[in-house]
Amino acid sequence: MQEAGYDPARLPPGQYLTDKWPVLHAGSVPRTELASWTFGVFGEVENELELTLEQFNELPRTDNVQDIHCVTRWSKFDMTFSGVHWRDVAALARPKPSARFCIAHAEQGFTANVPLRYLEDEHALLATHANDEPLAPEHGWPLRLVIPGKYFWKSAKWLRGIELLDHDQPGFWERYGYHNDADPWKEQRYGF
């Protein structure tokens, strides 16, 4: 596929461009009961949080546009995500100076690990919307992490919490041999 204004420099090596947003995940799409849904922040923080969806949605909102890249070799340009930036959650949780890494905890025991600085990136989001629509269940509704510039498995679907740690700890896919850094520009798909 080649769109008007297509810039091949935006496509990491080994990737192909798609205009669709393919659906890929391990297991089934979880059923979410909004009445009991919560999002938590815990670990290396001064103030552990547990927010209902209503409380989460009262936090300041932000939007950004970014390209996404899947380890299965597809890329999609100009995805618009809307949600809450980590800085607004961090202001409530108050991370300790020892916090350097985070584990995204999602439904069905799925986890994704990233250095805290990835979550602090200006374009990282705790996203509720994609392309001006609420996230579809198969794309992580009601909340997914969006980590820019990394293969999309680092952007955990069905997010339920963020744990801050003083050390790195492999996530679900990393335990199965995926690369810890997940840089699509370096084709860091598998292995450390």
Side-chain angles (χ1 to χ4, degrees):
M1 180 193 127
Q2 195 162 341
E3 301 173 355
Y6 166 73
D7 178 0
R10 289 173 60 187
L11 194 63
Q15 297 290 109
Y16 69 89
L17 188 61
T18 182
D19 62 351
K20 297 179 166 93
W21 188 6
V23 175
L24 299 164
H25 51 262
S28 60
V29 175
R31 295 189 61 191
T32 301
E33 298 295 332
L34 294 183
S36 60
W37 185 93
T38 58
F39 171 75
V41 180
F42 55 99
E44 296 292 308
V45 296
E46 299 292 339
N47 183 39
E48 290 194 357
L49 298 178
E50 186 171 85
L51 303 173
T52 65
L53 188 58
E54 182 179 349
Q55 291 168 324
F56 182 85
N57 285 331
E58 290 172 357
L59 294 173
R61 310 240 352 131
T62 190
D63 302 316
N64 66 51
V65 177
Q66 57 187 282
D67 301 340
I68 60 175
H69 312 288
C70 183
V71 70
T72 61
R73 301 192 183 273
W74 61 261
S75 291
K76 182 166 175 46
F77 288 171
D78 299 321
M79 288 286 296
T80 301
F81 290 101
S82 175
V84 174
H85 193 275
W86 169 250
R87 73 178 152 259
D88 296 308
V89 176
L92 299 173
R94 299 189 314 276
K96 294 179 180 178
S98 55
R100 295 188 3 233
F101 296 91
C102 69
I103 298 287
H105 290 271
E107 297 284 358
Q108 301 174 337
F110 180 78
T111 58
N113 65 311
V114 295
L116 182 56
R117 71 180 183 278
Y118 291 8
L119 195 56
E120 295 168 337
D121 184 285
E122 189 59 33
H123 289 98
L125 280 179
L126 306 171
T128 58
H129 290 69
N131 293 334
D132 302 319
E133 298 288 334
L135 287 168
E138 62 270 15
H139 287 300
W141 177 85
L143 186 64
R144 91 172 290 154
L145 184 60
V146 176
I147 298 292
K150 300 298 173 188
Y151 284 123
F152 216 45
W153 85 76
K154 292 289 191 179
S155 297
K157 297 180 184 182
W158 310 299
L159 187 64
R160 296 298 301 270
I162 297 287
E163 178 182 11
L164 298 186
L165 300 171
D166 62 1
H167 63 281
D168 198 9
Q169 179 177 304
F172 177 87
W173 290 111
E174 291 75 17
R175 291 192 303 271
Y176 285 97
Y178 281 56
H179 198 284
N180 200 48
D181 294 334
D183 186 336
W185 295 99
K186 296 177 181 176
E187 293 194 84
Q188 293 175 326
R189 300 174 196 280
Y190 309 105
F192 280 77

